[in-house]
Amino acid sequence: MYCRHCGSEVNEKAVVCVKCGVHPLNDSQHCQECGQPTNEKQEICTSCGCRLMRINTTSAGGGADVIYPSNPPKSPGTAAFLSCLITGVGQMYLGQVKKGLAWLLGGIVLSAISAGILSVPIVIASIVDAHKIGQKLANGQPVGQWEFF
Ligand SMILES: [Zn+2]
Ligand SMILES: [Zn+2]
């Protein structure tokens, strides 16, 4: 497919255009199927007849399930450290708020029913998870809201 912003060819699953750095469907200047120029009001491409797709990642709530790398990137070390203090906080720091809460609540429940036996592995897994997710973001890779490790 083609980037709707700059018209260069991008991978079918790409979430960020390598040429211009925005979501490939986050504009209306080119057709995503053939790369021909299109305009704002067009719904169908005049060159290939396909329905033009548009995702606005800048509007509030748009692309809420994907976390884009911040600039400057958040530190994977800080994320791991925060999850070491309180399970799930490192994930919340990275933007995975719901997942962080799930770690925290799940950790409390599982520790309680296992009389504390599971609390150590849960904390360790949470630290490793926060660090891995932090590294992906630091490498410029977007992560899902519920992506683990
Ligand atoms: Zn582009
Ligand atoms: Zn087209």
Side-chain angles (χ1 to χ4, degrees):
M1 67 181 239
Y2 292 86
C3 172
R4 296 215 59 203
H5 181 68
C6 67
S8 57
E9 210 170 342
V10 291
N11 188 285
E12 209 64 45
K13 292 192 195 98
V15 285
V16 174
C17 169
V18 288
K19 275 264 171 61
C20 63
V22 301
H23 193 289
L25 300 177
N26 189 19
D27 210 338
S28 52
Q29 298 183 48
H30 295 272
C31 169
Q32 80 275 359
E33 295 296 331
C34 66
Q36 289 303 305
T38 55
N39 68 51
E40 188 82 31
K41 295 187 190 76
Q42 247 175 285
E43 277 189 31
I44 307 284
C45 172
T46 48
S47 306
C48 69
C50 73
R51 178 159 287 275
L52 296 168
M53 291 194 290
R54 176 143 198 204
I55 293 172
N56 195 346
T57 53
T58 51
S59 70
D65 288 339
V66 177
I67 298 154
Y68 290 94
S70 57
N71 194 18
K74 287 174 178 164
S75 154
T78 306
F81 177 70
L82 288 170
S83 271
C84 179
L85 294 178
I86 304 170
T87 308
V89 174
Q91 283 79 359
M92 291 184 217
Y93 160 76
L94 294 170
Q96 295 182 310
V97 179
K98 286 180 223 156
K99 200 187 101 181
L101 282 173
W103 266 115
L104 183 57
L105 296 175
I108 291 168
V109 171
L110 286 172
S111 300
I113 57 175
S114 66
I117 296 165
L118 283 174
S119 64
V120 173
I122 287 166
V123 170
I124 291 170
S126 165
I127 295 167
V128 173
D129 177 63
H131 194 257
K132 293 237 164 135
I133 296 295
Q135 267 180 335
K136 284 186 188 174
L137 287 167
N139 289 335
Q141 197 182 330
V143 297
Q145 183 68 247
W146 287 98
E147 189 167 328
F148 284 84
F149 303 101

